[in-house]
Structure formats: structure tokens, C-alpha cells
Amino acid sequence: MSKANSTGSTGTRRPADTDADEATGSSGPGPDGSAQDSAHGAAGERLSTAPREDRPETGGVPAMGAVAWVRWFWRQLTSMRVALILLFLLSLGAIPGSLIPQNSVDEMKVEAFKDRHTTLTPLYEKLQLFDVYSSVWFSAIYILLFVSLIGCIVPRTGQFVGQLRSRPPGAPKRLTRLPAYTTWRTEAEPDEVRAAALKVLRKRRFRAHEAGDAVAAEKGYLREAGNLVFHIALIVMLVAFACGQLFKSEGGKLIVEGDGFANTQTQYDNIKYGSLYDPDSLAPFSFVLKDFVGTYEKSGPQRGTPRTFEARVTYAEGADGPDRDGVIKVNEPLVVDGTKVYLIAHGYAPVVTVRDGSGKVVSRSAVPLLPIDNNITSSGAIKVMDGYKDKNGEKTQLGFKAFFVPTFAGHGKGQMFSQFPALDFPVLALSAYHGSLGVDSGLAQNVYQLDTSKMKEFKDEKGELLKKMLMPGEKLDLPDGGGSITYEGTEEWASFQISQQPGNGWALGGSVAAIAGLAGSLFIQRRRVWVRAVRGADGVTVVEMAGLGRSESARLPEELGELSGALVATAPVAPAAPEEPDAPDTPGAPDTPDAPHTDGKPITPDAGQDPDQDPDQDQEQDPDQDQEQDPDAPEATNEAGSRPVHPAEAPAEGAEK
């Protein structure tokens, strides 16, 4: 308890100088008989005539309980600031997913990236950067954003529905305080003016009703509707993307010209499913690659750029559907029963024939090779696993490392790399091995690489590795009558991605709705207009019109001018009354100021409400109830002073701002 309360029970407070004495540590006069100065240092700053409050001594901020922390966290999560931060983090998280190869898109590119970047690979694997969209951190951002949007939308939807069910609030007592205002006198009856105002406002799609001696109208509700549509569309997009990941199937297949594909699990080179996908729900269809057509720019700075890049196929829906012709282009997939077939890559497959020492054909096939540059320089392996016997009649396996260029520069013109992507001068380089390919070990093996750890080299006459460059029709003879391999020609292959991903239509619809909602929330302005018509002291009707923008709107005065012009047609301006001589100035009387402002903003009559306040926080106002005003505040006037303003004198843009 303070000393003030302990001195008596009357409840009187001590004078300021006594408080000051306590603050300075003094309770009486100094040694020289004079009172000590009470304004020393920081003590003087605490001089006040206000009563002292008794506050309990606390050791710090009171601790928050578990429920309080949960409420605080929920308020933060559902705030617009946190939602924008999460949306920004989601955008940042998608950047490594587009720059770093992803296992869900192309595992071979991921392996090649790991081979080239041995230092970064362990770090990327720990951060799950090769599987960004299924990583823990990306999923956490995704879920938090989803919850934040729902927590933001639900209460705002309830508020918006309440606003739609309510009526625009009644007119303020002093319309002159509003940022856009005009007035005139008319000989029409007040009821006629209000009825005409209702008709004019409703014709311009205002929600209007008559409240007392005025008409209240409001327009621009689609602004908040657009805001809600934008947020709901974001949720639809998030749900669509989530369903697409959970219920998707995605696989790849490399097909050589003339070969086909049936949509069954065993036909895929690789396939992945979403966690909730049923593998038995693969859509039944098949297609055959008839021909691949690729043309390229032959000259200029864009030499080698593809001009035509399409796969011509014959496909059939179901097990016994009729054959149909189709063309698959880049970004123009073939759609069959909800499944999309994309063209993602192209290359060459040299056709080779392998014979044993007796001349018997052991193998004849088109072997796809993988491109290693933009001119489709390709490498791979040719493997003969069964049917070959060496000169002693023993079964063995053959392997050839293959290097192919569709356009060879010629001997003595540098390294063997293609000069152009088209088949202008194809050359196949082979090096031969024999032994065990390692395919019987039970371990998975890359079909484009040759494991020579258990194989021996064929030797040429110089005792070196047997190798040769072949053009179409040429062959490489194996030593000691071991047979031969002939380069017959070249086929083309195309790689396809077959994906079934539900929710794409919903995602597209959500994107369109989000753009439309955002445009509405940005460009639609919400505003209110009031029209008051009352009979003046001289029996002539006085019409007042005022407007208030619920958001920044530069067109509000202009719109108010258009409305007043339309209303003047029904309530024309009355002839001007003869002017009376000006009254002499009263000494000491204050000048009539312009409409008062607070912090540079017009004072509205809505109980001190800021005109720029969020419209979601509007409260219904009783149109028949006058609002309390400061009795000491001067009466606000328009630019013409206390005289009503003729519409010609108050420009069409409205009145003062």
C-alpha cells in the first residue's frame, strides 16, 4: 500500500509536490529553510497531477498456460501475414524442384547428376532435394498453408454472409463530414425525392432502402466476394495437387519404330504410384509407334534446333477397341481414357546382326542408344546373352561397347562427335568383348552399360582391343573365326511418359477462379451513398447527397456527381432565393472551419469510425438514431460555407475531399 492510502480513510489524494518530494527522496525543507527543488533529473519528469495507481508487485510477465499458447499459435497461423509467408516459402521450395533433377521425373538424370557432383550429393540427399515435392519440409509448408487458409476463410465467410443479409446503415447526422458531398434545393416533395433516389440507385445496381428521412445505398460487395473466391480457389488448387500426388500413376517406356506398348505394369520400363493408388485401375489401352519424324534447322545461329518433333502412332482403347491414328507432339499428349501419353525424348537405335563362326544368325535387333549431347551423339551397349558359341563350340556371351554419331565429320576432323542431329552421315563405333555379362547374378543391371569385370577383350592383329568404325552395311569380324557383327541400318526410338493424375481439371478451374477473384478484390471498390431530403424552414425541400468509399476510390466524387445529375432530372433545382445582407461579424466568434480532420483523414459520422476501416468490421447503424458529437466541435460546412451548393457550383466530381 502506498503512503497516500495509509494517511487516512478519506480517500483524498496528495498534492503533486508531495509526490515530487517522495520521488527525490526528500520530505521537508532543506538546511537553509527552503524547499528542495523537486525537478531534479528523472524525478522531475515524473511530476504529475494524476492520481497514483496502486499496482501489485509482480516478478515479471505472467506465464501463459497451454490453452493460451494454443490460442496464440492459432491466431498467428490464421493471420494474413503468416499465410503470405507460407505461400512465399512454398514458392521458394518449388525452385530446387525445378532446378535439380527429381527421382519422380527422371531417375537416370538424377544418377548422372550424382556422378558429376559427388560433393553436393550427400547434402542434397539429406535435404531431400532429389524428392522435393514429397519431402517432409515441403509437405509441412503445404499442410500449414492449407490450415491457415481454412482458418482465415471460415470466419470471413460468416461475416460476409451477415453483411449480405443486413441492410446498408442509415444516414449519418451530418453528411457534410463525408469526403464526397453535394446539396441543392428543390420544389419537389421530400417523399418524391426519396422515391426517385431509390429508383436511380437501384438502376445503378446499388442495394438501397429508405431509412427515416434519407435513402441509404451500398455497392461493391463483390470486392469481398472476390477475396473469398481467391482464397477458396487456392484451397481447391492445393486439394487438387494433393489428390494428384496421392492417386497418380506415372511410368516411362522407350519404344523403337514398329514396336508397341500395352498399358500393363509389366510393359513399363519404370513405374511409380501414389500412396493411395490402386495398380489394378490402370486404364486399358495400347498403341504402336509407326514412325518418328524429326526435322532440324540446317543453317544459321539456330542450326540443329528441332522444327518437327512428333511421334505418329496407332492406338486402341480397351482390349478390342478399333485402331485409330494419332500424333504425339511435345506438350501435346495423347489422351486415352483419362491417361496422358507425353513425348519426352528421342534417339537412334542401330540395327545390328550378330553371327557365330558358322554364319548362323545369333541375334538381330535394333539397340537403343542414349544421347549425350544436343546433336544426339549416343552411347550404349550391345549384349548377346544366348545362342552364341565360340570356335570350340562352348557357349559364351558377347558384349560390345557402342558409340554412334548420326552425322560424322569425317576421318581426321577431330573427335568422333556428331555435327548435326539428323541422319546425314551415320557411323557406329564398336569394341568387342566375350565372357560373362553378369546378367545371371540376380542383380539389376543397366542395359545401356557394359560390365566388363568378368569379360575378356577380343584382340586385333596388334594385340590391342578389337574395335572398328562401321557405316551402314559394314561388319566387324571377330578373330579366329569367332563370327561377326554387321551394322545393318538405323531405326529411331521415342521415349514416352504415361501418366494418370486426377485433379488436373480441378487445379485448372481453381487457377482461373483465383485469377478472377483476385481481379475482383483489386478493381472493385466498395462504397456507400446517402440521399437525404427534408423540408427546410422556408418550405423548400433541401436535398443532400454524400458518399463514403470503404476503400481508396478516386472515382467516388465522379460517381456521386453522376448520381446527383440523374436525380436532378426528377428533383430540379429550385430558383435561388434573394440573398440577404451579410450579418456583421461578432467579436470573439470563431471562424467556421472546413470539415474537421483527424490525422489528415475526414471525420465520418460513424461513431468516430475511420472511413478507410475494413468493411468487414462495419456495424449496423440505427438510421433513426442521431450519433453523439462533441458539443465543442464547430459545425462542418462544405466549400461554399453554410449556403447550399448548386450542382453547377459543386463540380460533377462531387464536393470537397
Side-chain angles (χ1 to χ4, degrees):
M1 177 180 291
S2 66
K3 293 177 65 176
N5 292 332
S6 63
T7 56
S9 60
T10 60
T12 59
R13 70 182 180 186
R14 298 184 307 165
D17 58 350
T18 308
D19 292 340
D21 289 341
E22 285 191 353
T24 57
S26 174
S27 60
D32 56 355
S34 61
Q36 283 188 337
D37 187 0
S38 61
H40 293 295
E45 298 178 358
R46 298 191 305 208
L47 290 177
S48 174
T49 59
R52 173 174 294 180
E53 298 179 0
D54 293 334
R55 297 182 180 178
E57 295 294 333
T58 58
V61 179
M64 294 175 62
V67 176
W69 277 111
V70 171
R71 290 177 178 173
W72 178 86
F73 178 77
W74 177 253
R75 285 195 298 268
Q76 298 300 316
L77 181 60
T78 56
S79 65
M80 183 61 66
R81 179 181 64 257
V82 172
L84 291 175
I85 291 174
L86 290 173
L87 190 61
F88 178 70
L89 291 178
L90 195 70
S91 302
L92 287 181
I95 293 177
S98 59
L99 298 179
I100 300 174
Q102 299 294 296
N103 285 318
S104 60
V105 178
D106 194 334
E107 292 183 351
M108 297 183 63
K109 287 186 177 180
V110 173
E111 293 299 327
F113 182 90
K114 291 180 178 180
D115 293 339
R116 295 193 307 268
H117 304 86
T118 56
T119 304
L120 292 176
T121 295
L123 177 62
Y124 283 8
E125 289 179 340
K126 289 182 180 179
L127 296 177
Q128 299 178 298
L129 295 184
F130 296 115
D131 299 280
V132 168
Y133 303 109
S134 59
S135 63
V136 174
W137 55 269
F138 191 87
S139 301
I141 298 174
Y142 195 91
I143 294 173
L144 287 175
L145 178 60
F146 187 81
V147 175
S148 176
L149 289 174
I150 292 179
C152 178
I153 288 174
V154 171
R156 294 190 66 170
T157 302
Q159 294 175 4
F160 182 62
V161 171
Q163 294 172 12
L164 292 178
R165 297 177 63 183
S166 63
R167 286 183 157 191
K173 182 177 181 180
R174 294 182 177 89
L175 294 178
T176 54
R177 293 177 177 266
L178 299 183
Y181 172 82
T182 186
T183 181
W184 70 92
R185 294 154 52 89
T186 181
E187 295 179 350
E189 295 296 324
D191 292 342
E192 296 177 2
V193 175
R194 289 191 288 268
L198 275 174
K199 184 177 180 180
V200 169
L201 291 169
R202 287 173 177 171
K203 184 177 181 181
R204 295 174 180 262
R205 298 188 301 277
F206 277 85
R207 293 180 60 195
H209 71 104
E210 190 170 349
D213 60 356
V215 174
E218 189 166 4
K219 187 177 182 181
Y221 286 86
L222 288 179
R223 177 184 179 89
E224 180 63 17
N227 199 354
L228 292 175
V229 167
F230 172 73
H231 287 82
I232 294 174
L234 287 182
I235 292 181
V236 171
M237 292 169 62
L238 292 176
V239 172
F241 292 148
C243 292
Q245 293 296 318
L246 294 174
F247 295 94
K248 75 173 183 178
S249 69
E250 188 174 82
K253 179 64 176 179
L254 187 149
I255 304 175
V256 180
E257 290 176 329
D259 292 343
F261 167 81
N263 193 28
T264 59
Q265 297 184 55
T266 56
Q267 287 281 300
Y268 283 91
D269 294 334
N270 56 78
I271 187 170
K272 289 185 177 182
Y273 304 113
S275 57
L276 300 180
Y277 184 79
D278 181 10
D280 295 333
S281 62
L282 287 172
F285 71 91
S286 61
F287 68 91
V288 175
L289 177 61
K290 297 191 302 181
D291 186 23
F292 182 88
V293 179
T295 60
Y296 308 89
E297 188 68 34
K298 293 184 176 296
S299 61
Q302 295 186 343
R303 185 176 185 271
T305 303
R307 294 307 181 198
T308 304
F309 209 72
E310 59 186 33
R312 299 172 182 175
V313 300
T314 300
Y315 68 97
E317 294 187 44
D320 53 357
D323 290 342
R324 302 176 182 176
D325 293 332
V327 177
I328 306 175
K329 301 179 181 179
V330 178
N331 296 326
E332 295 183 16
L334 174 68
V335 182
V336 184
D337 196 13
T339 302
K340 295 183 178 181
V341 182
Y342 293 91
L343 174 63
I344 60 175
H346 159 258
Y348 295 106
V351 180
V352 294
T353 301
V354 179
R355 294 179 173 83
D356 59 12
S358 63
K360 177 184 175 181
V361 175
V362 176
S363 172
R364 188 181 190 279
S365 62
V367 182
L369 303 179
L370 293 182
I372 60 175
D373 61 18
N374 292 333
N375 288 325
I376 318 186
T377 302
S378 307
S379 65
I382 300 173
K383 301 178 182 181
V384 181
M385 293 176 284
D386 299 310
Y388 177 79
K389 295 181 180 180
D390 61 11
K391 62 181 180 180
N392 299 322
E394 296 181 359
K395 292 184 178 180
T396 187
Q397 296 176 333
L398 299 179
F400 301 90
K401 288 184 177 181
F403 197 85
F404 176 79
V405 289
T407 301
F408 183 44
H411 293 283
K413 295 185 179 180
Q415 296 179 340
M416 185 179 173
F417 282 94
S418 178
Q419 306 300 307
F420 193 70
L423 283 173
D424 292 345
F425 187 5
V427 172
L428 176 65
L430 298 175
S431 54
Y433 299 82
H434 64 96
S436 175
L437 294 171
V439 295
D440 300 327
S441 62
L443 300 177
Q445 191 178 84
N446 193 330
V447 296
Y448 303 104
Q449 295 180 353
L450 184 64
D451 182 8
T452 60
S453 59
K454 298 181 180 180
M455 305 191 77
K456 297 180 180 179
E457 299 177 349
F458 280 107
K459 302 293 184 179
D460 59 11
E461 298 176 352
K462 300 179 180 179
E464 298 177 354
L465 173 64
L466 179 64
K467 55 186 177 180
K468 186 178 181 180
M469 297 173 60
L470 305 176
M471 290 188 292
E474 296 182 345
K475 66 178 180 179
L476 170 64
D477 292 322
L478 301 178
D480 300 328
S484 64
I485 178 171
T486 304
Y487 172 31
E488 306 286 356
T490 308
E491 298 284 352
E492 298 188 56
W493 59 261
S495 180
F496 300 92
Q497 177 179 299
I498 300 96
S499 63
Q500 184 177 356
Q501 187 169 356
N504 288 340
W506 285 98
L508 177 60
S511 301
V512 174
I515 295 174
L518 183 61
S521 64
L522 291 177
F523 298 110
I524 296 177
Q525 303 298 328
R526 188 171 174 186
R527 60 271 194 200
R528 290 173 179 169
V529 173
W530 291 276
V531 182
R532 174 175 284 140
V534 296
R535 192 177 301 278
D538 56 356
V540 179
T541 302
V542 178
V543 182
E544 291 182 290
M545 291 188 69
L548 176 65
R550 306 307 300 159
S551 57
E552 293 295 334
S553 176
R555 194 178 177 277
L556 178 62
E558 179 182 349
E559 186 175 26
L560 188 68
E562 294 174 355
L563 291 172
S564 63
L567 187 56
V568 164
T570 304
V573 179
E579 295 186 1
E580 297 180 1
D582 296 337
D585 295 338
T586 302
D591 294 336
T592 302
D594 292 337
H597 289 66
T598 301
D599 295 333
K601 295 182 179 180
I603 299 177
T604 67
D606 298 337
Q609 177 181 340
D610 188 346
D612 296 328
Q613 183 178 348
D614 192 332
D616 297 336
Q617 300 178 1
D618 296 341
Q619 300 293 332
E620 184 73 11
Q621 178 181 348
D622 186 357
D624 299 326
Q625 179 180 358
D626 291 338
Q627 299 184 1
E628 295 295 331
Q629 302 291 337
D630 185 359
D632 298 330
E635 180 68 16
T637 63
N638 51 38
E639 291 181 351
S642 60
R643 179 173 60 86
V645 178
H646 191 283
E649 298 175 354
E653 288 80 12
E656 80 268 357
K657 269 203 153 190

